[in-house]
C-alpha cells in the first residue's frame, strides 16, 4: 500500500476489516468536542486528525457520551492559537504505541492496527499572511519529522493550506491527476514535499464530483 499525504479514506488492514480515518479543520474544539465526536460516530470514523483545536497545553482525555467514546491526544500552545490533535476510538486506544507532540502545528501518533504499525501525523500548515520564514521552517521541520519515521506505514493528515491543482506535470509519483483548480505556491511546497518522500496525495487519486473537491468557499 502507498504511503499517504493529506489522506482521508478507508484502508483494509490485516487482522481488522477496515480502518476509517479522516482529517478536519474544526476552527475550534472549545465547546464543540461532543459535536465533533458525534460526526465521527455517524461517519464511522475510527481515527481523525484535527487542526486548529485552539486548546491550550498538551495532554489527552476521553471525549464522548454513552458507549462510543474517543481518546483525544492534542498539542497546543499557551496563546490558544493553532493546535493539532488526533482522536482515536476508545476501543483502539489501547493499541496506541507512542505519541510525539512536536509543536502546535505538528504531532504524530503511532498505533498498531491488526498486524500493521501505522503512524498518523496531524499537521496544520501556516496560512496566507504568515511569513515566508515561518512557512519554510514548518516544511523543513515536517520533512525531518517524516524522515525519522522508518517503521510501518505513514499517513499525514491535515490542513496544508495549499492548492495542488488538477495538473500532474513534474510530479508523477505524488499527484494522481484528479485535483481541482490551479496550483499555487503553497501547493508547490506540498508537491515538492510529497515527491521528495515518495508520498502520494490521496485526494488526487479518486475522481469525485466537483462539489466534493471544495472544502471551503470564499463568501465573495
Amino acid at each position: 500500500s502507498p504511503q499517504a499525504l493529506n489522506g482521508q479514506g478507508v484502508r483494509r488492514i490485516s487482522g481488522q476489516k477496515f480502518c476509517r480515518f479522516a482529517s478536519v479543520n474544526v476552527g475550534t474544539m472549545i465547546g464543540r468536542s461532543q459535536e465533533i465526536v458525534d460526526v465521527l460516530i455517524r461517519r464511522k470514523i475510527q481515527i481523525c486528525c484535527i487542526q486548529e483545536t485552539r486548546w491550550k497545553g498538551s495532554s489527552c482525555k476521553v471525549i464522548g457520551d454513552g458507549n462510543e467514546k474517543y481518546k483525544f491526544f492534542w498539542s497546543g500552545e499557551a496563546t490558544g492559537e493553532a493546535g493539532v490533535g488526533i482522536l482515536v476510538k476508545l476501543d483502539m486506544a489501547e493499541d496506541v504505541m507512542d505519541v510525539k507532540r512536536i509543536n502546535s502545528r505538528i504531532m504524530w501518533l503511532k498505533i498498531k492496527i491488526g498486524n500493521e504499525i501505522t503512524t498518523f501525523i496531524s499537521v496544520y500548515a501556516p496560512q496566507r499572511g504568515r511569513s515566508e520564514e515561518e512557512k519554510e521552517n514548518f516544511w523543513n521541520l515536517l520533512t525531518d519529522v517524516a524522515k525519522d519515521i522508518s517503521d510501518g506505514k505513514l499517513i499525514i493528515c491535515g490542513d496544508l493550506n495549499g492548492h495542488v491543482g488538477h495538473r500532474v506535470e513534474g510530479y508523477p509519483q505524488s499527484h494522481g491527476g484528479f485535483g481541482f483548480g490551479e496550483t499555487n505556491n503553497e501547493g508547490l511546497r506540498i508537491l515538492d514535499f510529497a515527491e521528495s518522500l515518495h508520498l502520494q496525495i490521496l485526494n488526487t487519486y479518486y475522481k469525485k464530483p466537483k462539489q466534493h473537491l471544495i472544502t471551503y468557499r470564499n463568501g465573495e
Side-chain angles (χ1 to χ4, degrees):
S1 299
Q3 298 193 93
L5 173 68
N6 201 24
Q8 290 180 257
V10 181
R11 291 190 60 226
R12 188 178 293 276
I13 306 290
S14 301
Q16 180 170 315
K17 188 176 181 181
F18 286 112
C19 174
R20 285 182 176 270
F21 61 92
S23 178
V24 59
N25 183 320
V26 295
T28 180
M29 281 282 283
I30 299 172
R32 298 185 62 209
S33 56
Q34 185 59 50
E35 174 190 347
I36 292 161
V37 163
D38 289 342
V39 171
L40 299 187
I41 292 171
R42 286 199 305 271
R43 298 294 183 94
K44 297 183 170 68
I45 302 297
Q46 294 158 298
I47 297 175
C48 187
C49 294
I50 303 289
Q51 300 82 49
E52 209 169 350
T53 64
R54 299 187 182 274
W55 279 18
K56 296 180 180 180
S58 300
S59 189
C60 66
K61 67 178 294 186
V62 174
I63 299 175
D65 297 326
N67 295 325
E68 296 194 80
K69 298 180 182 180
Y70 288 76
K71 192 165 187 178
F72 184 46
F73 303 83
W74 78 89
S75 179
E77 57 185 52
T79 62
E81 296 180 0
V84 289
I86 302 176
L87 282 154
V88 180
K89 201 167 182 188
L90 196 56
D91 60 2
M92 295 177 65
E94 62 183 19
D95 294 318
V96 172
M97 301 170 64
D98 198 7
V99 178
K100 187 166 185 180
R101 300 166 176 87
I102 310 301
N103 55 31
S104 63
R105 291 188 179 272
I106 304 172
M107 70 172 289
W108 61 251
L109 179 147
K110 185 176 295 185
I111 184 170
K112 190 170 186 231
I113 306 174
N115 297 323
E116 287 188 342
I117 295 172
T118 301
T119 301
F120 290 87
I121 307 181
S122 182
V123 297
Y124 179 38
Q127 59 271 51
R128 183 180 298 178
R130 297 285 184 168
S131 69
E132 284 300 309
E133 181 182 9
E134 183 180 357
K135 292 177 182 179
E136 195 67 29
N137 289 340
F138 167 84
W139 286 105
N140 289 339
L141 179 58
L142 180 57
T143 299
D144 291 342
V145 170
K147 282 182 177 178
D148 281 344
I149 298 169
S150 56
D151 55 337
K153 302 296 181 184
L154 172 63
I155 299 176
I156 302 176
C157 298
D159 185 351
L160 295 172
N161 280 304
H163 302 288
V164 298
H166 66 277
R167 285 188 290 230
V168 190
E169 291 88 346
Y171 300 95
Q173 296 183 90
S174 302
H175 198 301
F178 294 114
F180 175 79
E182 300 299 321
T183 309
N184 61 9
N185 289 336
E186 283 72 21
L188 288 174
R189 291 180 194 263
I190 297 169
L191 288 162
D192 288 338
F193 168 79
E195 197 78 8
S196 70
L197 292 176
H198 308 291
L199 298 170
Q200 293 180 324
I201 303 171
L202 289 188
N203 285 349
T204 67
Y205 281 79
Y206 303 95
K207 191 171 184 179
K208 305 174 185 175
K210 184 177 178 180
Q211 64 269 24
H212 293 171
L213 294 171
I214 302 170
T215 56
Y216 174 80
R217 177 173 290 176
N218 193 310
E220 296 177 358

